[in-house]
Amino acid sequence: MGLLDLFVAATIPVLNVLIVTGVGAFLATGRINILGADARHHLNNVVFYVFNPSLVASNLSRTITFDSIVLLWFMPFNVFFTFIIGSALGWVLVKITKAPSHLKGLILGCCAAGNLGNILLIIVPAICKEKGSPFGDPDTCRTYGLTYVSLSMALGAIFLWSYVYNIVRISSTAKEDEENGHGPIIAQSDETSPLLTGNHDGSITSPGDLLMSEASANEYAISVPTFSSGKTKVSASVKIKLYFQKISGIIDLRKLLAPSTIGVIIGFIIGVVPQIRKSLIGENAPLRVIQDAATVLSDGAIPTLTLILGGNLIKGLRGANIRTSLIVGVIAVRYIALPLIGVVIVKGAVRLGLVHSDPLYQFVLLIQYAVPPAMNIGTITQLFGTGESECSVIFLWTYALASVAVTLWSTYFMWLVS
């Protein structure tokens, strides 16, 4: 297949995304205000709690079996590599640019956490529909592509809320300590939180929950006793219990169980357990109406997510006091360094026989290194009250340039796996 055909196949989906994103941005402007903050709040609640879980569960249940789980084992490690390598590159960027202390967590988060769910949910099915796509039958490609992307979304949510959340929390704590000697203050913005108004590759939570999480973390940090050989003996079970209480208080494990993650769990259970699968999946399944209803609901996820994305990017037009070097550095990490390293990792894994030969699966693994930052990073910065406007500006430029970067990398990745 010619390189020009692959370029067209990669360009059309991105142009579709740009058009729908532009419509969302237009609807969110002050003059129109159809997709304002309140509208995005309510609409995204529907997406987050209904559309996304339905999309994830319905596609996984149709395609996941015990054998396919064995084939997909490398994806969690691949997502882990994107976070670790991105963090290392972000740390180098912070040192080179001497970023302000309150922006260090934001820069590290933007370099580490990519949009591993919603952007792929839009692009992968669109590429499958193109005639120049190297991935075969469009319907089969879409089904398996959404399966891979659904798993990617759940993994991204887990790493985001267990890792990036705490990086930003620590950064905001340092900022508050410098200013007034107190712990982090979680500011509530007048605007709706991006967690409710943005694309979701993480969990939904309220500022109250976060305050409780911080209080719990401090409580556990104080209440865990020091065990020494010369003092009161405590059983091993009590030590283990207190340790896990401390960890759960710091990380807040509830955030890891986002609705999309729960959808993944349900999809895996349906796909792996033969009795449940036979009752729900297939033309003769007695409970197939449940699967059909979930499929109908899932069809609303992609267009709605794209509109909301456009509405959220409007905030970045207001500008912020952030150095150009930081924006350029994040763009270089996400669109140059990470994709190049990703090619080495994925092709090396293929050569060693760690990744199976499905070109669509390899493409999803590669594109995970070339996506813009996760939208819920904006949510985290807003909840901690540090770097909100700077985050909006970074998002504006990274998502604007994604139209070029994702197109070029998608073309190269399709050529590489075909």
Side-chain angles (χ1 to χ4, degrees):
M1 183 174 295
L3 193 61
L4 180 61
D5 293 333
L6 294 177
F7 179 75
V8 172
T11 302
I12 297 301
V14 175
L15 291 178
N16 290 337
V17 172
L18 285 176
I19 292 172
V20 181
T21 301
V23 173
F26 176 72
L27 295 177
T29 56
R31 292 185 177 182
I32 307 300
N33 201 30
I34 293 176
L35 202 60
D38 290 338
R40 295 199 304 271
H41 173 99
H42 297 297
L43 184 60
N44 202 76
N45 275 332
V46 177
V47 173
F48 190 63
Y49 284 109
V50 181
F51 289 170
N52 271 357
S54 299
L55 180 67
V56 170
S58 61
N59 283 285
L60 283 177
S61 61
R62 283 200 302 265
T63 56
I64 285 294
T65 61
F66 182 79
D67 293 334
S68 63
I69 291 177
V70 176
L71 295 176
L72 298 178
W73 72 269
F74 185 76
M75 185 176 288
F77 292 95
N78 196 64
V79 173
F80 175 75
F81 293 151
T82 66
F83 275 77
I84 294 301
I85 297 170
S87 297
L89 295 173
W91 180 82
V92 173
L93 175 61
V94 167
K95 292 299 181 181
I96 292 175
T97 60
K98 297 181 180 179
S101 59
H102 70 287
L103 293 182
K104 289 181 180 178
L106 170 63
I107 299 302
L108 288 172
C110 288
C111 292
N115 193 327
L116 299 179
N118 299 319
I119 288 292
L120 301 184
L121 281 174
I122 298 167
I123 291 176
V124 171
I127 289 178
C128 289
K129 292 191 300 183
E130 290 301 311
K131 294 181 180 179
S133 170
F135 303 128
D137 177 66
D139 293 334
T140 303
C141 172
R142 186 180 190 277
T143 300
Y144 282 92
L146 288 175
T147 299
Y148 303 148
V149 173
S150 299
L151 181 58
S152 176
M153 176 191 293
L155 293 169
I158 292 172
F159 283 106
L160 178 77
W161 288 101
S162 62
Y163 177 64
V164 175
Y165 168 79
N166 285 286
I167 289 178
V168 178
R169 179 176 63 86
I170 293 170
S171 178
S172 65
T173 302
K175 168 72 172 177
E176 294 295 334
D177 288 343
E178 288 178 4
E179 292 182 350
N180 52 34
H182 296 290
I185 297 174
I186 300 178
Q188 296 186 34
S189 172
D190 291 337
E191 293 192 35
T192 306
S193 166
L195 184 58
L196 299 178
T197 61
N199 285 340
H200 292 279
D201 39 63
S203 171
I204 193 164
T205 186
S206 66
D209 291 337
L210 287 168
L211 286 168
M212 292 176 63
S213 175
E214 292 294 330
S216 299
N218 294 332
E219 176 186 348
Y220 289 131
I222 294 171
S223 63
V224 176
T226 302
F227 303 103
S228 60
S229 58
K231 295 184 179 181
T232 304
K233 293 183 179 180
V234 180
S235 64
S237 61
V238 174
K239 292 182 182 180
I240 294 172
K241 180 180 179 181
L242 289 173
Y243 176 78
F244 279 107
Q245 283 179 338
K246 180 179 179 180
I247 295 300
S248 63
I250 294 173
I251 295 178
D252 194 353
L253 297 178
R254 291 175 299 174
K255 297 182 180 63
L256 304 184
L257 292 178
S260 58
T261 306
I262 296 174
V264 169
I265 295 172
I266 293 173
F268 269 106
I269 293 174
I270 294 173
V272 172
V273 180
Q275 294 79 2
I276 301 179
R277 183 183 181 88
K278 290 179 181 179
S279 63
L280 291 171
I281 309 299
E283 297 180 356
N284 298 321
L287 300 178
R288 62 185 180 277
V289 65
I290 298 177
Q291 174 72 10
D292 294 340
T295 302
V296 171
L297 289 172
S298 69
D299 290 339
I302 294 175
T304 309
L305 286 169
T306 315
L307 289 173
I308 293 173
L309 173 62
N312 283 334
L313 293 180
I314 285 293
K315 293 187 296 182
L317 295 174
R318 300 171 186 170
N321 186 20
I322 180 172
R323 294 203 300 265
T324 304
S325 59
L326 291 175
I327 300 174
V328 173
V330 172
I331 291 172
V333 169
R334 292 235 58 97
Y335 295 142
I336 299 176
L338 269 175
L340 290 174
I341 296 172
V343 170
V344 175
I345 292 175
V346 174
K347 295 306 291 184
V350 172
R351 187 175 296 274
L352 294 173
L354 302 177
V355 175
H356 66 92
S357 58
D358 181 7
L360 180 60
Y361 180 55
Q362 295 179 22
F363 174 79
V364 172
L365 293 178
L366 288 166
I367 203 68
Q368 286 175 339
Y369 290 91
V371 290
M375 290 296 291
N376 271 350
I377 296 172
T379 299
I380 297 172
T381 59
Q382 186 181 47
L383 290 172
F384 285 109
T386 58
E388 300 171 55
S389 57
E390 292 88 347
C391 184
S392 296
V393 174
I394 291 174
F395 278 3
L396 175 65
W397 286 103
T398 52
Y399 276 83
L401 291 176
S403 59
V404 176
V406 174
T407 298
L408 295 177
W409 281 115
S410 296
T411 303
Y412 177 66
F413 292 156
M414 284 192 288
W415 173 81
L416 201 61
V417 302
S418 62

